[in-house]
Amino acid sequence: MFESNMTVSHLIELAKDSCDIAPDIDTEYYLLWLNSLESRLYTGIIKDYQSAVCDVYAEKSEESGAGAPGMLYIQLGDIAVPANQSRPRFCDIAFVLAEEDQLTKTDAGAAAVFTDKGSFYGDGAKVRLVRARGLPETVTVVYRVRPAAKTGAADERVSLPDEFLPLALDFLTGNAYALAGEDGQAAKWLERYNAELDDLTEWLALADKKFEGVVK
């Protein structure tokens, strides 16, 4: 995950200085916009993955009966993450590995179709696992990393490469003008943001290509 040399508080100061708006917009709005931006970038275009080994649990049901295997599942809450990362959600999971099998991501209705190599689907805080020949005591979960929500603490840093900090600045400034009803100014700043977003997407694609075949 990227960590810039700029604190969140300084970025917000720059955004406020870039706006000719009276009265000032509350910091909570800037935090809301920044958190939305970072979450969408890491969900959409920044490919940063980590893995975790999770215990497999068996849940008995009235239908399964005594001694039956019951439904198998893992709990995403078991995954320990650093303070600067968000806890993974089901939508963040790329795949689950059970021994040599890569389980297929699906939904409850289609899970039975993939019983050979196995499948997994979300069920609230649990991730249900289905494989015809059973499962080991642990599985490996590979998930997409997202930054933790920023709160405005003094030591928090923007989770972007330093080269693309203007992208975040333009996004915050454009949203501030939009909130103030200054549509012309909002469009100008958000147009700059969109151009920088294209540059970031291209930069990330070139980085992926550079390391293709080196990191697998």
Side-chain angles (χ1 to χ4, degrees):
M1 192 173 75
F2 295 109
E3 185 175 89
S4 74
N5 289 310
M6 181 176 290
T7 62
V8 170
S9 58
H10 185 50
L11 174 67
I12 292 175
E13 287 176 10
L14 290 177
K16 289 184 175 183
D17 289 343
S18 299
C19 296
D20 184 16
I21 297 173
D24 284 345
I25 293 173
D26 193 86
T27 298
E28 291 298 318
Y29 284 100
Y30 291 95
L31 290 171
L32 177 67
W33 296 325
L34 180 60
N35 286 327
S36 172
L37 172 65
E38 289 189 347
S39 184
R40 284 188 286 173
L41 289 177
Y42 278 85
T43 299
I45 67 171
I46 298 178
K47 300 175 183 178
D48 190 356
Y49 295 95
Q50 289 187 2
S51 64
V53 176
C54 294
D55 292 329
V56 176
Y57 302 95
E59 181 177 78
K60 299 295 183 181
S61 66
E62 293 181 3
E63 292 80 9
S64 64
M71 295 194 69
L72 301 177
Y73 65 94
I74 58 175
Q75 297 188 124
L76 293 180
D78 288 349
I79 299 176
V81 297
N84 66 339
Q85 292 182 15
S86 289
R87 193 168 294 281
R89 309 164 298 185
F90 177 75
C91 60
D92 297 319
I93 300 177
F95 52 87
V96 175
L97 296 173
E99 297 167 325
E100 75 281 4
D101 289 338
Q102 179 174 315
L103 308 188
T104 300
K105 190 174 188 177
T106 184
D107 56 40
V113 177
F114 304 98
T115 55
D116 184 17
K117 287 193 173 182
S119 62
F120 66 96
Y121 61 92
D123 182 13
K126 299 176 180 178
V127 177
R128 302 285 183 182
L129 309 171
V130 179
R131 193 173 70 159
R133 62 181 184 278
L135 288 156
E137 294 182 353
T138 61
V139 294
T140 299
V141 178
V142 178
Y143 61 94
R144 205 157 190 162
V145 173
R146 291 178 298 109
K150 304 300 192 289
T151 62
D155 59 344
E156 287 179 330
R157 297 189 176 276
V158 182
S159 300
L160 287 174
D162 286 324
E163 300 94 321
F164 292 97
L165 286 170
L167 176 149
L169 176 61
D170 293 345
F171 185 77
L172 298 188
T173 306
N175 275 279
Y177 273 119
L179 183 64
E182 298 283 349
D183 293 341
Q185 286 290 339
K188 182 186 79 171
W189 286 90
L190 292 175
E191 182 179 357
R192 288 176 46 167
Y193 158 75
N194 285 323
E196 287 154 356
L197 181 61
D198 290 340
D199 290 342
L200 174 61
T201 303
E202 182 179 353
W203 184 81
L204 291 168
L206 289 173
D208 286 344
K209 187 174 181 180
K210 179 179 178 181
F211 290 102
E212 186 177 344
V214 177
V215 180
K216 295 183 179 180

